[in-house]
Amino acid sequence: MRWIAWCVAALTAHTAVNARLLRRPGPAGRLPVSVLLPVRDEALRLGPCLEALLRNDFSELLILDDGSTDGTVELVHRLAGNDPRVRVLTGATLPPGWLGKPHACHQLADAADPRSSALVFVDADVVLAPGAVAATVGMLADLDLVSPYPRQDAPGATWLVQPLLQWSWLTFLPLRLAERSPRPSLSAANGQLLAVRRAVYDRAGGHAAVRAEVVEDVALLRAVKRAGGRGVVVDGTDLATTRMYAGWDELVEGYTKSAWTVPLPALGLLGVLYVVPAVAALRGSRTGAAAYAAGVAGRVVSARRTGARVWPDSLAHPVSVTLLGWLSARSRLARRRGRLTWKGRQL
């Protein structure tokens, strides 16, 4: 148990170092930029996203409707009005071998103005702050791809799982090394808000290179690295807010789609480092209590840095890790049975 406590303490120290090294928005970028927004049945959440986007500066906004049946297109036209920057596209039929989102992003990139030096991909559940697009593009001054991680709004029981997203890469990914290294394992990205230099995107093969990837954002960063580019996750706390899931049932459905991609050794390690000490502490182990406290401290550092709620989320860290393991097991079982779907499509 003692070595577990030392490992957790070291990882918490690494979290604190990463929190200081995490790249923050700097001067606004002035590259010509195309903002690309894929939508599919987003009528219930698209309004705040689109209204916030239209308050930003960019060369053009392309919105691709990917077979919506809930009034999404009508909402887009009503909110965009006669804004000359906005173009609405109709998605083509999904070809064999492609997943929906990569195909939508591929079509958007193909339709973007060739004079745009940067592409900014945004999801329909993201609400940008004023100036967020320019600040995001400004971070491409030193990198070829940046993924500003939005502040996560986690209503209801989703707070038990969603904060693990930022905590995981702040704890385990050496950020400065990751942005320089071509190693695929040193990659973290979030397609909710992602900017890439157009020339590097094209050289990497664009979304065609990740056409069948469920976690297409991380796969795109890996493709950029293979093409000689540099990229990393960056601080998007003050640039954007997102509510991925309205409640627990939506979260379970969403994680069932993709949690099978979490490697089993990684899940086992998380269990040993963050669940076993809590169980030992309940049985009276002082070393287990120390390891549990170190794990809680890491969550506190992560929450404060990324704008997440600190309490009681941090105290429930072992429960969060356990739930992630359950969601991954559920996802793997659904995949084995051929039942992975998302927005009405088989994955």
Side-chain angles (χ1 to χ4, degrees):
M1 181 62 66
R2 185 170 297 177
W3 70 268
I4 293 178
W6 280 111
C7 285
V8 176
L11 287 169
T12 293
H14 185 251
T15 306
V17 171
N18 264 345
R20 292 182 63 86
L21 294 177
L22 182 62
R23 285 183 179 265
R24 296 164 172 80
R30 301 189 181 280
L31 296 174
V33 55
S34 295
V35 178
L36 310 178
L37 175 63
V39 295
R40 178 177 168 86
D41 291 337
E42 301 287 2
L44 296 179
R45 67 178 78 192
L46 180 60
C49 169
L50 188 51
E51 290 171 351
L53 266 174
L54 294 173
R55 290 193 290 268
N56 272 261
D57 293 326
F58 44 77
S59 304
E60 64 174 356
L61 168 61
L62 273 61
I63 304 171
L64 183 134
D65 175 59
D66 190 19
S68 297
T69 59
D70 66 345
T72 293
V73 178
E74 292 77 9
L75 177 63
V76 168
H77 286 293
R78 185 167 70 250
L79 293 178
N82 296 318
D83 193 316
R85 301 173 299 170
V86 180
R87 282 195 286 154
V88 182
L89 311 176
T90 300
T93 302
L94 187 66
W98 285 79
L99 293 182
K101 185 176 180 182
H103 187 234
C105 291
H106 171 72
Q107 294 173 82
L108 284 164
D110 271 358
D113 189 330
R115 293 170 295 180
S116 292
S117 301
L119 305 176
V120 176
F121 295 92
V122 182
D123 278 359
D125 55 6
V126 173
V127 179
L128 297 182
V133 171
T136 297
V137 172
M139 301 179 81
L140 290 174
D142 300 322
L143 298 164
D144 299 299
L145 182 152
V146 293
S147 176
Y149 222 101
R151 184 193 304 265
Q152 301 290 313
D153 180 11
T158 64
W159 67 266
L160 284 166
V161 176
Q162 281 302 93
L164 290 177
L165 296 174
Q166 290 105 317
W167 168 83
S168 62
W169 51 261
L170 272 174
T171 299
F172 292 100
L173 184 69
L175 290 175
R176 284 293 180 261
L177 176 61
E179 68 182 47
R180 296 190 303 268
S181 173
R183 292 179 62 87
S185 59
L186 295 178
S187 301
N190 185 350
Q192 292 172 333
L193 177 57
L194 186 149
V196 60
R197 289 183 176 275
R198 178 63 182 266
V200 179
Y201 175 85
D202 291 341
R203 190 166 73 237
H207 278 83
V210 299
R211 66 188 67 190
E213 298 287 346
V214 174
V215 188
E216 88 294 333
D217 41 18
V218 177
L220 181 62
L221 173 55
R222 290 172 175 167
V224 165
K225 287 187 173 187
R226 287 194 300 270
R230 297 172 59 215
V232 74
V233 64
V234 297
D235 182 22
T237 304
D238 296 328
L239 299 181
T241 302
T242 182
R243 174 179 287 190
M244 287 182 67
Y245 307 112
W248 181 252
D249 290 343
E250 276 193 16
L251 181 142
V252 171
E253 181 182 1
Y255 274 72
T256 298
K257 172 194 70 168
S258 59
W260 63 267
T261 61
V262 182
L264 288 175
L267 290 171
L269 180 63
L270 290 176
V272 169
L273 294 178
Y274 297 103
V275 178
V276 170
V279 174
L282 290 174
R283 294 180 175 178
S285 169
R286 292 184 179 180
T287 307
Y292 165 69
V296 169
R299 278 292 295 272
V300 169
V301 170
S302 172
R304 287 179 174 170
R305 184 63 195 83
T306 61
R309 190 175 67 180
V310 177
W311 312 110
D313 306 38
S314 301
L315 293 174
H317 188 53
V319 177
S320 299
V321 171
T322 301
L323 287 172
L324 177 63
W326 173 74
L327 289 166
S328 180
R330 189 178 192 274
S331 177
R332 290 172 187 278
L333 182 61
R335 182 170 183 257
R336 185 177 302 170
R337 294 176 174 176
R339 296 179 181 174
L340 290 183
T341 61
W342 187 245
K343 292 194 174 182
R345 285 173 171 161
Q346 189 77 23
L347 297 180

